Amino acid sequence: MPGEGHTTMGDRLEIRGLTKTYGNGVRALQGVDLDIPAGMFGLLGPNGAGKSTLMRTIATLQEPDGGTIRLGALDVLRDKDGVRRILGYLPQDFGVYPHLDAVTLLDHFATLKGIADRGERRAVVDALLQRVNLWNHRKKRLGGYSGGMRQRFGIAQALLGAPRLIIVDEPTAGLDPEERTRFLNLLAEIGEQVVVVLSTHIVDDVADLCANMAIIAGGRVLQKGEPRAAIDTLRGKTWRKVIDKGELEDHRERHMVISTRLVAGRTVIHVFDDGAPGQGFGAVEPDLEDVYFTALRRAA
Amino acid sequence: MARSDSSRFGEFLRFELRSRLRQPTVWLFGLLFALMAFGATTTDAIRIGGGSGLTAINSPYVVTQMLGILSAIGVLIVTAFVATAVVRDYEMRTYSLFYTCPIRRGDLLFGRFFGSLAMAWVVFVITAFGLAIGTLMPWLDPARLVPHQPAAYLWTLVVLVFPNLFVMGAVFFGVATLTRRVMFAYVAVAAFFVVYIVSQNLISGIENDTIAALVDPFGMAAVSVDTRYWTLAERNHSIPSLGRLVLINRAVWIGVGIAALVLTYSRFRMSAPIEGSKSAVDDDEPAVRVDREPPRVHLRHGFRQSLAQWGHQVRVELSGVLRSTPFVVILLFAVLNVFGGIYGAMDDMFGTPVYPMSYLMVEIIEGTSGLFVLIVIVFYSGELAWKERKVGLHEVYDALPVASWVPLAAKYVALVGAVAVLLAASALTGMATQIVLGWPHIDLAVYVQGLFFHGLTRWALVIALAMAAQAVTNQKYVGFLVMVGYFVLGAVLPAIDLEHGLYRYASEPSATYSQMNGWGHFVRGLVWYRVYWAFAATLLLIASALLWPRGTDNRWKLRVRRARAALRGPVAAATVLAFLGFVGCGAFIYYNTNVLNRWVPSDEQERLQVLYEERYKQYEHLPQPRVTAADVEVDLYPAERRVDFRGRLELVNQTDAPIDRVHVTLEPELTTRALELPDATLEEHDEELGYRIFRLDPPLLAGATTTLAFDVGFAEPGFKERGSSTSVVENGSFMHSTGFVPRIGYDRSAELSDPNERRERGLPERVRMADLDDVDARRNTYISHEADWIRFAATVSTSKDQIALAPGYLEREWTEGDRRYFRYEMDAPILDFYAFLSARWDVAPDRWTGGDREVAIEVYHQPGHDMNVPRMIDAVKKSLDYFTVQFSPYQHRQVRIVEFPRYARFAQSFPNTIPYSEAIGFIADLRDPEDIDYVFYVTAHEVAHQWWAHQVIGADAQGSTVLSETLSQYSALMVMEKEYGRDQMRKFLEHELDRYLSGRGLERHKELPLMRVENQPYIHYNKGSLVMYALREYMGEERLNRVLSRYIADVGFQKPPYTTARELVDRIRAEIQPEYAYLVEDLFETITLYDNRTRSATITALPDGRWQVDLEVETRKLRADETGAEHEVPLADWIEVGAFVEREENGRTREVALHLEKQKFTEHEGRVSFVVDEKPTRAGIDPRVLLVDRDPEDNVRTVAEN
């Protein structure tokens, strides 16, 4: 019920036992437990891992089959209206009304978010449009925006009303390097008292930005914690070798290959091994990607 | 930052209004509807309800009708707005932005709904303005306007239009929002219209008016019932009231709307659509590693491959359409609609059905499936054209090595295929219905020819236009607009006198199927027009293929450039060929329609009529010789549609002075080979109008005789655009003398008769008919001004396999080569009114004997149309039985009933010959004895004409049609009553009363009392039936028939001065009982109506087992003037009261009269009591509706026990 639960700055998002099975039998979430404190939290996982399902559930767009989500005293699943008052959501895939201009639509959302005073609203809308660098295009039809511009608009509406829970779902896919950098900087500015959940399959986004992370695949949380700590656990267990294409099958059978890459035309593999895997392998400093691939391989 | 928890309803509403008003759609729709209303008001082009004749253009009645009907069409508009109000968030993928805002779902739902609904209301306010502005236009005929009543607009908007849009909007908003797909709302709209039309058909009987009024969601039926019998005066000045029916209807339907909104609200959730999950596929399969080489393939290109691609894509596109849910739903409803259409159309006359012949099914399907085929074409042309772009696959597709014409050609053929499936389903439905209704004679050829050769080919043309509109404009909704424009033009062009088919895309000359003549000669014109427009369609398709949007840059300049580049080689050749074909066909068609034949558009027709009057009316009273004999030779060549008429008319100068000028009119279409009059020189010859003036030197002396010899021919080579002759056909020719035989003197009936048209052209007011007491008028009958009774003989020849008929007795029949000859002669004079028929008939012979007379009865009918022939013969016999005894002997030795093709729907009485249309009587389905046997009735009526018209004939003055039509109605009623019993007559007379009352409201000129009727069918047929039956009930049959038989004895076969209705009325007055003498004035000399009502009917059981019936009644007597304004007159009338009981007889419920007596009423209110032997079910005042009553329903009440 509105007003029953409330959040205070610095509350953490507690997800317990969240399950969701779709009508056709796909088990998108199979008992997800997460503790997400204030600050940047990265949710890493391949496509189909259940990330979007989880994001939409937190954003009140979907009902889970079981489990709870709490933000401080706020019961996220029951008190949807309470969540929406403090929520900023940037969906993975969204559209706009093509015949309207950015100011009009953003103003509309601002009203819907609850900013009743016209002066305040105008100030907020103007500020956000400048912040996402759409000020020069603010009067143009949204239908004419490029993909990157539309994404920036999405960010602007997500930041309306100083939300305390921000969900961003695959935000940098489709952005060029410059736009990506700008976006990540923007997120970083948001503030430490806000819970920001960044769901992505791009490892670098998490590595660059997030103090906390979880790896999710097949509806399950494979690993959680701080990225630094995760990398530390892998130190001394990651190995590198350059091989021919034809040898790949062979290596796969004999080792736990966690990643294959082409570097200047040669195949480079990373392998996980508690001890030295053998000749041709060299120890390599692990990074978050190794952590990610190792977790996935282990779960498969 | 301040937050407010208040309702966002206002914000959603405001946003919706602002957002929509910025887009052109609202204004475009408003403009379109306003133009339609404007056009309907200012021109006769567009007809939407509207004022006929004297109902003023801006009368409240017309305003209500027009806006009401437009609001029904407006269902589409309101759906267009509300369907997307919420669903657009799914289609545009903005839902995830909205649903995560702290809003209440009610605010979103209702804010958006009412905002969109308001748009529809705005459209109609604009429409009302368009209507109002139209009525202010200076070029409108002021005689057709009444003082403006803004209240009428307001009333209609508030009571009808706004609630209609609200209800429909709420329902379809619910459909779209809950199914989350806009298309379903449109499908629901189509389904709704089907159900609506079917239900209207089902409820079309008079008895169910109240139910019909309540069931109609548009409120129009309720208003209609309230104003059903309104006269002209009321329609022009009174605003419909909020009657009980209207109020209940509005309450019910607004309630439905609210319920729909509540239901939508309760089931609506602001959550992500489940579509993602249904088709979500588990992507956690481990990657399969395949390092083997992919298999080798050979790539082929070139025209053969393109053809194969095209074939393949046709299959893909077609199956896509056929399997799409909307199509399946449309198919289902189209099938339902065919059922409904058949059901509704089968009730032919007096509620009696006809046999479900295959060609009737085809006609009904063609008439009713139009809407659905249109929906399929317009929507799917857009869907198919944008299919790839909608799912984002177009970039992939457009980069494939597929020629640009392939997708266009495939989508085109697929859409044609989809329509073919729709038509096939309709055909199957028609066949199934035939079997269900018990007439399993399925003529497969007719179905295939009618629906596919004719129908599908025409739709293929329309589809070409639709695809071209999509391809060329490259905007889905503009393409739709183009199609809308095409249909609107189709209605508008003919109305502004642009009627020729050569410039109306996909047009064709009309064609009617007859089982006698098949598709007949109409086929030729149809085929050529089809080929002509097919060439045009080919050009359209070629243009579409060349301009087909491909890739991501489809600016107009680029597409034109690409098209120009591709226009070479075989494509260019094909274009040139198609163009040449188009022009060539066009030339050939023009040659046929305008050169070989005359092209007479409707305004041209009127111009000629005006010209005739302007030039020759001066000769109207010029003394002319009269025709006293006609001997005609007719050579008919049915296969060539050619006929030659030769003959001699004997002319006698029956005046006192010599005649030196003879005026002769011959139809200008005829080829005149000879027209000879002794001692005559042709002084003037008006070729345009076919008018000739001969000067006689020496003049024709008084009493002298001369002979006019003529030789004319008629042929229709090639084909005509319109007005193709149905008189001379391959099988079933029916030629009236007036079309082929020269006429003497000025013919008044050729003048333009409509008073509005006359005023527009500056012609003086025309007297419809001479006054009843005009002495001059009695010199002629109303049949002909050029003759009285003539001697008649004819020789008719036709092809060997046909029989030819003319009035007269067959004296001789012989064959010469491949021609067959018939010689007919009349042994007594006949009216100057005869016809010739020829066909391959079966003949059913019979004979009637009465006293010492013997009459041969023959029914000439199409083989296979013998179902009702025995009934016709029986009717003839029973009519002869009655008429020869009650009136006078039958003057001929034969009665011949002759079937002619269904191009016209009437039966007519010539001397001893009765042509009878295929469409009435021959195919009537009389298997249900509950149905009124109109075959019997029509036959009796036509036989009666042998007395009333061919023995007694009235002068050319008011009231003369009483002597022929009304008395024939009476005669037929008597024969029917003897056959079917008194109780059956009530049902029949109810129909007559309804027709009379409805006819009053449609009067274009002025209503007249029966005695002065000016050939107005609703008076001389319908009111006549009621009057004569009532007269019989008061006078008694014996007394009335005595008057009639004496009348015939005195005036039958008379020479001028001819009798008039006044003579008949005087005779009735002389014989009628003195206490009923007032009736003569009421029934014949004035327009008298009653308002009778039974307030209460109670019964009390008497100790001796009988029942006392007590009635409280009200009665009022009214006289009306010409325009329908009524005033009350004092009462001193005998009105019947009675009681009835329902009895089961032979498994049927019949209402039998227990008691009927006439009582005298002098006060408005009265109490009546009488005793009956049995417990009655109903009782009342004037229960058999002998007197004309505006509301006959309240005459009788179900009794209440005391």
Side-chain angles (χ1 to χ4, degrees):
Chain A
M1 235 149 47
E4 195 179 69
H6 61 280
T7 62
T8 51
M9 293 298 210
D11 278 341
R12 55 177 45 223
L13 188 67
E14 291 171 1
I15 303 172
R16 295 279 177 271
L18 213 61
T19 54
K20 174 75 179 178
T21 304
Y22 285 121
N24 59 354
V26 172
R27 295 197 291 190
L29 297 174
Q30 301 185 49
V32 170
D33 291 324
L34 284 175
D35 272 295
I36 303 176
M40 296 291 300
F41 185 90
L43 190 64
L44 204 52
N47 290 328
K51 300 195 304 298
S52 284
T53 307
L54 179 59
M55 296 296 100
R56 282 202 296 267
T57 309
I58 303 173
T60 73
L61 287 179
Q62 256 182 271
E63 297 279 350
D65 293 335
T68 61
I69 307 180
R70 303 194 74 83
L71 179 64
L74 189 61
D75 183 334
V76 169
L77 295 177
R78 295 253 194 81
D79 186 3
K80 290 200 167 57
D81 204 51
V83 177
R84 290 171 183 158
R85 286 201 211 121
I86 50 132
L87 176 68
Y89 178 47
L90 177 58
Q92 177 181 8
D93 179 31
F94 69 93
V96 289
Y97 288 158
H99 62 282
L100 295 177
D101 60 277
V103 175
T104 309
L105 192 54
L106 202 57
D107 181 274
H108 183 46
F109 282 125
T111 316
L112 298 181
K113 293 268 188 199
I115 309 173
D117 181 75
R118 194 187 298 179
E120 274 182 23
R121 215 162 48 227
R122 190 173 315 148
V124 163
V125 165
D126 286 354
L128 278 171
L129 285 173
Q130 281 169 3
R131 202 154 158 215
V132 299
N133 203 23
L134 283 179
W135 182 251
N136 294 331
H137 307 290
R138 70 189 186 284
K139 288 285 175 60
K140 302 208 183 109
R141 284 176 76 249
L142 284 163
Y145 275 20
S146 70
M149 288 163 76
R150 203 170 47 239
Q151 192 73 339
R152 295 194 326 251
F153 178 84
I155 298 160
Q157 67 81 33
L159 296 178
L160 277 171
R164 293 206 284 274
L165 171 62
I166 299 183
I167 313 284
V168 279
D169 195 350
E170 307 275 5
T172 61
L175 296 183
D176 69 40
E178 196 183 325
E179 283 172 330
R180 179 173 163 269
T181 313
R182 200 182 294 128
F183 172 76
L184 294 176
N185 286 337
L186 210 121
L187 273 191
E189 284 168 17
I190 281 177
E192 298 95 52
Q193 296 304 320
V194 181
V195 176
V196 181
V197 182
L198 168 66
S199 157
T200 179
H201 62 272
I202 299 174
V203 185
D204 283 341
D205 285 352
V206 177
D208 295 345
L209 213 57
C210 300
N212 252 293
M213 68 154 215
I215 299 176
I216 179 170
R220 277 185 239 273
V221 176
L222 300 180
Q223 195 170 340
K224 43 190 169 181
E226 291 175 28
R228 207 163 298 283
I231 291 171
D232 282 343
T233 54
L234 277 192
R235 195 161 282 117
K237 300 191 179 152
T238 48
W239 307 90
R240 182 181 183 274
K241 183 174 178 185
V242 180
I243 60 170
D244 288 324
K245 198 167 65 172
E247 300 172 300
L248 186 55
E249 232 2 85
D250 191 44
H251 280 82
R252 278 199 219 272
E253 281 168 27
R254 290 193 280 130
H255 303 282
M256 187 177 185
V257 176
I258 55 179
S259 69
T260 39
R261 189 181 296 139
L262 280 177
V263 175
R266 308 291 311 280
T267 309
V268 177
I269 58 172
H270 281 212
V271 156
F272 175 85
D273 205 320
D274 286 318
Q279 66 169 125
F281 283 95
V284 68
E285 185 66 18
D287 57 15
L288 195 57
E289 216 175 78
D290 293 318
V291 171
Y292 177 57
F293 286 134
T294 307
L296 289 182
R297 278 285 283 126
R298 277 213 190 120
Chain B
M1 191 154 329
R3 302 287 178 95
S4 81
D5 251 355
S6 59
S7 155
R8 310 274 182 259
F9 175 77
E11 170 65 17
F12 277 113
L13 187 65
R14 265 193 306 273
F15 183 78
E16 200 68 14
L17 290 173
R18 257 183 294 146
S19 166
R20 289 227 192 246
L21 284 174
R22 257 192 245 187
Q23 291 177 291
T25 350
V26 178
W27 308 110
L28 275 176
F29 278 134
L31 195 64
L32 181 69
F33 269 59
L35 277 174
M36 275 166 70
F38 183 83
T41 312
T42 54
T43 70
D44 280 330
I46 309 178
R47 281 205 176 282
I48 308 172
S52 59
L54 288 184
T55 318
I57 298 174
N58 63 340
S59 61
Y61 180 80
V62 168
V63 166
T64 307
Q65 282 255 300
M66 229 187 265
L67 285 178
I69 292 175
L70 281 175
S71 80
I73 305 173
V75 171
L76 282 168
I77 305 271
V78 76
T79 306
F81 288 132
V82 299
T84 59
V86 170
V87 179
R88 67 167 179 256
D89 283 337
Y90 300 115
E91 295 191 346
M92 294 196 198
R93 301 193 318 273
T94 44
Y95 69 89
S96 45
L97 301 182
F98 280 101
Y99 295 171
T100 50
C101 290
I103 52 177
R104 290 196 282 242
R105 72 174 197 272
D107 293 342
L108 174 80
L109 215 55
F110 296 127
R112 296 247 185 110
F113 171 72
F114 283 106
S116 301
L117 178 67
M119 292 298 99
W121 284 355
V122 164
V123 166
F124 272 86
V125 170
I126 299 176
T127 308
F129 270 109
L131 180 56
I133 293 174
T135 63
L136 294 172
M137 285 299 104
W139 64 78
L140 284 180
D141 184 354
R144 297 185 67 187
L145 294 172
V146 290
H148 294 287
Q149 293 219 35
Y153 294 89
L154 213 59
W155 191 91
T156 312
L157 282 176
V158 169
V159 175
L160 290 182
V161 175
F162 288 166
N164 286 350
L165 295 174
F166 166 72
V167 173
M168 293 295 116
V171 169
F172 298 120
F173 172 69
V175 171
T177 305
L178 292 180
T179 62
R180 298 186 177 187
R181 288 194 57 181
V182 170
M183 187 62 179
F184 284 136
Y186 288 108
V187 171
V189 169
F192 161 75
F193 274 120
V194 167
V195 173
Y196 177 68
I197 294 170
V198 167
S199 67
Q200 292 295 304
N201 282 332
L202 281 176
I203 309 174
S204 57
I206 329 173
E207 303 88 60
N208 282 323
D209 264 340
T210 320
I211 302 179
L214 294 178
V215 156
D216 174 25
F218 298 117
M220 296 291 295
V223 172
S224 200
V225 169
D226 275 350
T227 63
R228 180 172 47 190
Y229 295 143
W230 274 20
T231 60
L232 211 48
E234 286 162 316
R235 288 181 195 208
N236 278 343
H237 299 289
S238 313
I239 301 176
S241 60
L242 269 179
R244 200 185 51 120
L245 274 179
V246 174
L247 270 177
I248 298 180
N249 175 290
R250 296 290 82 188
V252 164
W253 284 100
I254 291 178
V256 167
I258 294 177
L261 284 179
V262 167
L263 181 68
T264 310
Y265 172 74
S266 69
R267 298 191 65 121
F268 174 68
R269 293 283 174 274
M270 291 195 305
S271 59
I274 349 162
E275 38 101 26
S277 58
K278 268 220 200 96
S279 42
V281 173
D282 230 338
D283 196 15
D284 62 355
E285 297 286 315
V288 178
R289 287 174 243 286
V290 179
D291 298 310
R292 288 194 297 278
E293 291 283 321
R296 296 200 68 103
V297 292
H298 299 280
L299 297 176
R300 275 190 278 262
H301 305 286
F303 186 71
R304 275 265 222 87
Q305 180 68 354
S306 291
L307 219 52
Q309 286 170 335
W310 168 81
H312 171 83
Q313 189 159 354
V314 167
R315 273 194 295 279
V316 170
E317 301 275 9
L318 182 59
S319 82
V321 172
L322 295 180
R323 288 194 306 183
S324 63
T325 321
F327 184 82
V328 172
V329 178
I330 288 175
L331 190 65
L332 279 173
F333 278 98
V335 163
L336 266 176
N337 192 37
V338 170
F339 266 125
I342 294 174
Y343 195 94
M346 294 316 287
D347 263 10
D348 206 33
M349 280 172 69
F350 299 101
T352 305
V354 293
Y355 284 105
M357 304 275 180
S358 293
Y359 65 85
L360 282 178
M361 301 291 105
V362 169
E363 279 182 3
I364 292 171
I365 292 173
E366 278 185 344
T368 58
S369 66
L371 173 68
F372 292 91
V373 176
L374 247 50
I375 292 178
V376 166
I377 291 178
V378 175
F379 272 114
Y380 279 103
S381 62
E383 289 295 303
L384 287 177
W386 285 83
K387 192 170 83 152
E388 289 78 18
R389 281 173 280 190
K390 189 165 158 192
V391 295
L393 207 53
H394 59 289
E395 291 186 26
V396 173
Y397 192 85
D398 290 343
L400 290 171
V402 175
S404 289
W405 64 265
V406 170
L408 166 71
K411 289 168 199 288
Y412 173 72
V413 172
L415 197 43
V416 173
V419 170
V421 167
L422 209 56
L423 291 174
S426 303
L428 286 171
T429 312
M431 292 183 209
T433 315
Q434 278 190 260
I435 297 174
V436 163
L437 290 177
W439 184 254
H441 306 278
I442 293 177
D443 190 348
L444 199 59
V446 168
Y447 277 103
V448 170
Q449 287 159 359
L451 292 178
F452 293 92
F453 291 177
H454 183 218
L456 186 62
T457 53
R458 184 155 183 277
W459 290 122
L461 296 175
V462 177
I463 294 172
L465 181 65
M467 294 301 306
Q470 289 293 332
V472 170
T473 65
N474 200 25
Q475 299 256 43
K476 183 145 66 155
Y477 291 98
V478 178
F480 289 166
L481 229 63
V482 166
M483 292 312 288
V484 170
Y486 164 69
F487 294 123
V488 169
L489 266 182
V492 164
L493 281 181
I496 55 173
D497 298 327
L498 287 173
E499 302 165 330
H500 204 288
L502 275 178
Y503 45 73
R504 290 188 295 136
Y505 183 74
S507 71
E508 59 184 14
S510 60
T512 312
Y513 180 84
S514 153
Q515 278 186 318
M516 287 186 81
N517 201 25
W519 294 102
H521 58 278
F522 301 109
V523 175
R524 213 177 310 148
L526 274 177
V527 169
W528 278 104
Y529 262 101
R530 198 60 98 238
V531 172
Y532 172 67
W533 287 116
F535 279 120
T538 309
L539 288 170
L540 281 175
L541 288 173
I542 292 178
S544 309
L546 290 174
L547 291 165
W548 189 253
R550 189 171 188 156
T552 44
D553 193 349
N554 284 307
R555 280 172 299 168
W556 179 247
K557 272 204 270 260
L558 283 174
R559 288 199 284 147
V560 171
R561 205 187 304 159
R562 285 204 291 258
R564 276 221 205 100
L567 189 59
R568 61 198 57 216
V571 178
T575 312
V576 169
L577 277 173
F579 185 73
L580 287 177
F582 181 66
V583 170
C585 277
F588 182 74
I589 291 175
Y590 183 80
Y591 174 67
N592 268 282
T593 60
N594 289 39
V595 174
L596 272 187
N597 291 292
R598 254 175 93 182
W599 160 236
V600 185
S602 17
D603 62 342
E604 173 70 7
Q605 179 65 38
E606 281 152 15
R607 188 184 74 86
L608 291 173
Q609 283 180 280
V610 171
L611 222 55
Y612 184 81
E613 185 176 341
E614 279 175 357
R615 286 185 192 163
Y616 303 116
K617 192 168 172 74
Q618 53 178 308
Y619 301 121
E620 190 175 358
H621 298 289
L622 191 71
Q624 291 286 283
R626 285 174 94 77
V627 178
T628 49
D631 195 323
V632 185
E633 276 168 52
V634 181
D635 291 319
L636 174 68
Y637 301 87
E640 294 160 43
R641 295 185 63 230
R642 186 164 70 84
V643 62
D644 292 328
F645 272 80
R646 283 184 306 283
R648 276 168 309 285
L649 295 176
E650 187 183 270
L651 306 173
V652 175
N653 180 353
Q654 290 176 348
T655 68
D656 299 323
I659 293 175
D660 65 349
R661 294 259 176 350
V662 178
H663 294 215
V664 179
T665 312
L666 259 182
E667 290 294 323
E669 272 112 43
L670 299 171
T671 320
T672 311
R673 289 189 272 270
L675 194 60
E676 280 151 16
L677 202 52
D679 300 329
T681 36
L682 187 59
E683 199 174 58
E684 244 183 77
H685 181 192
D686 185 338
E687 280 189 39
E688 197 181 7
L689 297 172
Y691 200 85
R692 289 176 174 78
I693 302 182
F694 289 95
R695 193 162 76 85
L696 291 175
D697 190 6
L700 188 65
L701 298 171
T705 309
T706 183
T707 309
L708 175 68
F710 62 93
D711 185 351
V712 299
F714 170 83
E716 213 175 72
F719 53 89
K720 285 179 87 159
E721 165 69 25
R722 219 202 354 201
S724 181
S725 166
T726 51
S727 300
V728 185
V729 295
E730 283 149 14
N731 185 33
S733 302
F734 179 14
M735 299 162 281
H736 264 251
S737 57
T738 46
F740 301 93
V741 173
R743 296 194 300 287
I744 310 293
Y746 176 75
D747 183 6
R748 204 172 155 267
S749 66
E751 291 172 5
L752 198 60
S753 55
D754 184 86
N756 293 327
E757 302 276 352
R758 288 183 69 87
R759 228 196 335 262
E760 268 177 48
R761 288 170 174 74
L763 290 172
E765 227 180 278
R766 180 175 185 265
V767 173
R768 197 159 47 173
M769 223 175 219
D771 185 83
L772 179 60
D773 301 306
D774 183 339
V775 174
D776 263 347
R778 299 184 64 176
R779 285 195 283 159
N780 292 305
T781 67
Y782 72 87
I783 300 281
S784 159
H785 271 227
E786 62 171 12
D788 301 304
W789 301 86
I790 64 171
R791 297 191 312 280
F792 178 80
T795 309
V796 194
S797 77
T798 180
S799 60
K800 207 157 60 157
D801 58 348
Q802 293 196 6
I803 304 174
L805 294 173
Y809 305 104
L810 183 64
E811 296 295 324
R812 197 159 82 91
E813 187 187 326
W814 72 100
T815 36
E816 249 172 55
D818 58 351
R819 307 280 304 158
R820 198 163 158 195
Y821 288 81
F822 301 81
R823 172 77 187 163
Y824 291 96
E825 283 172 17
M826 271 305 297
D827 59 354
I830 60 169
L831 292 173
D832 182 23
F833 181 61
Y834 46 95
F836 302 96
L837 300 105
S838 171
R840 291 183 285 273
W841 291 292
D842 274 351
V843 185
D846 208 318
R847 108 177 307 118
W848 174 85
T849 32
D852 56 347
R853 299 283 316 279
E854 211 180 67
V855 173
I857 304 176
E858 287 168 331
V859 179
Y860 292 77
H861 64 273
Q862 166 76 358
H865 282 181
D866 48 3
M867 295 85 71
N868 296 326
V869 169
R871 212 175 282 256
M872 289 178 181
I873 295 179
D874 193 38
V876 170
K877 287 187 182 166
K878 298 211 161 103
S879 304
L880 290 173
D881 280 339
Y882 187 85
F883 303 155
T884 52
V885 168
Q886 299 289 325
F887 302 142
S888 70
Y890 179 53
Q891 71 269 43
H892 303 295
R893 286 177 269 132
Q894 67 188 8
V895 175
R896 293 178 302 183
I897 293 178
V898 185
E899 184 175 359
F900 65 90
R902 56 191 286 266
Y903 306 129
R905 286 176 54 111
F906 57 79
Q908 214 171 19
S909 223
F910 293 93
N912 65 51
T913 309
I914 301 174
Y916 214 118
S917 170
E918 172 188 4
I920 64 167
F922 280 98
I923 57 169
D925 183 352
L926 296 164
R927 289 174 294 185
D928 183 358
E930 291 288 334
D931 291 324
I932 292 176
D933 184 353
Y934 68 83
V935 176
F936 194 91
Y937 156 69
V938 170
T939 308
H941 178 103
E942 294 304 327
V943 172
H945 269 309
Q946 300 293 315
W947 278 259
W948 310 113
H950 292 290
Q951 292 187 23
V952 172
I953 182 72
D956 189 10
Q958 292 177 326
S960 290
T961 47
V962 169
L963 305 177
S964 50
E965 299 299 346
T966 306
L967 292 181
S968 296
Q969 287 282 88
Y970 167 68
S971 313
L973 278 176
M974 292 299 105
V975 180
M976 261 190 59
E977 194 185 72
K978 302 246 168 324
E979 181 72 9
Y980 291 105
R982 248 171 157 199
D983 303 308
Q984 278 296 65
M985 300 319 294
R986 177 144 191 266
K987 201 166 158 191
F988 181 84
L989 290 169
E990 272 173 12
H991 280 277
E992 295 290 84
L993 178 60
D994 182 59
R995 291 254 193 75
Y996 168 58
L997 292 173
S998 309
R1000 296 180 73 214
L1002 296 171
E1003 173 61 58
R1004 295 175 80 92
H1005 210 181
K1006 54 187 184 193
E1007 185 180 358
L1008 291 158
L1010 185 57
M1011 191 172 72
R1012 291 183 176 271
V1013 66
E1014 290 177 356
N1015 204 7
Q1016 297 148 292
Y1018 71 96
I1019 300 179
H1020 65 226
Y1021 284 124
N1022 308 120
K1023 183 176 180 182
S1025 293
L1026 299 165
V1027 161
M1028 294 306 293
Y1029 194 82
L1031 196 60
R1032 195 280 301 258
E1033 289 297 296
Y1034 282 87
M1035 265 183 97
E1037 194 170 326
E1038 217 187 291
R1039 199 186 295 238
L1040 179 54
N1041 286 354
R1042 204 165 45 231
V1043 170
L1044 295 176
S1045 72
R1046 283 214 204 112
Y1047 187 47
I1048 294 182
D1050 289 344
V1051 305
F1053 303 105
Q1054 74 187 166
K1055 292 218 172 2
Y1058 291 99
T1059 183
T1060 64
R1062 192 180 281 289
E1063 284 189 6
L1064 176 65
V1065 172
D1066 286 341
R1067 284 163 183 266
I1068 293 175
R1069 185 180 277 119
E1071 281 288 315
I1072 197 170
Q1073 302 92 311
E1075 63 266 29
Y1076 298 144
Y1078 69 91
L1079 268 178
V1080 176
E1081 194 188 346
D1082 288 346
L1083 295 174
F1084 290 96
E1085 294 173 352
T1086 55
I1087 305 172
T1088 306
L1089 306 121
Y1090 288 82
D1091 197 355
N1092 294 327
R1093 192 163 94 90
T1094 302
R1095 258 222 300 262
S1096 79
T1098 41
I1099 52 175
T1100 328
L1102 293 175
D1104 61 354
R1106 302 202 295 165
W1107 294 83
Q1108 171 158 325
V1109 181
D1110 296 298
L1111 302 172
E1112 259 178 44
V1113 297
E1114 275 172 21
T1115 167
R1116 203 167 306 257
K1117 186 167 170 182
L1118 306 149
R1119 287 264 166 83
D1121 72 9
E1122 300 169 345
T1123 61
E1126 290 168 5
H1127 62 276
E1128 209 173 312
V1129 293
L1131 270 173
D1133 294 26
W1134 290 85
I1135 306 181
E1136 198 173 74
V1137 294
F1140 293 80
V1141 69
E1142 247 174 43
R1143 285 221 194 101
E1144 289 276 334
E1145 259 171 46
N1146 308 329
R1148 292 200 300 268
T1149 19
R1150 283 233 141 115
E1151 212 174 38
V1152 174
L1154 285 174
H1155 178 90
L1156 289 169
E1157 74 174 283
K1158 294 186 182 60
Q1159 293 209 4
K1160 188 156 181 184
F1161 289 86
T1162 46
E1163 305 281 321
H1164 282 315
E1165 287 161 18
R1167 284 200 139 78
V1168 177
S1169 294
F1170 50 86
V1171 175
V1172 293
D1173 292 328
E1174 224 183 291
K1175 183 176 178 188
T1177 40
R1178 300 208 303 161
I1181 181 173
D1182 194 21
R1184 294 189 297 152
V1185 198
L1186 297 175
L1187 306 167
V1188 174
D1189 192 323
R1190 281 244 284 221
D1191 188 3
E1193 307 272 320
D1194 60 5
N1195 286 18
V1196 185
R1197 272 197 111 79
T1198 318
V1199 299
E1201 209 168 324
N1202 214 355

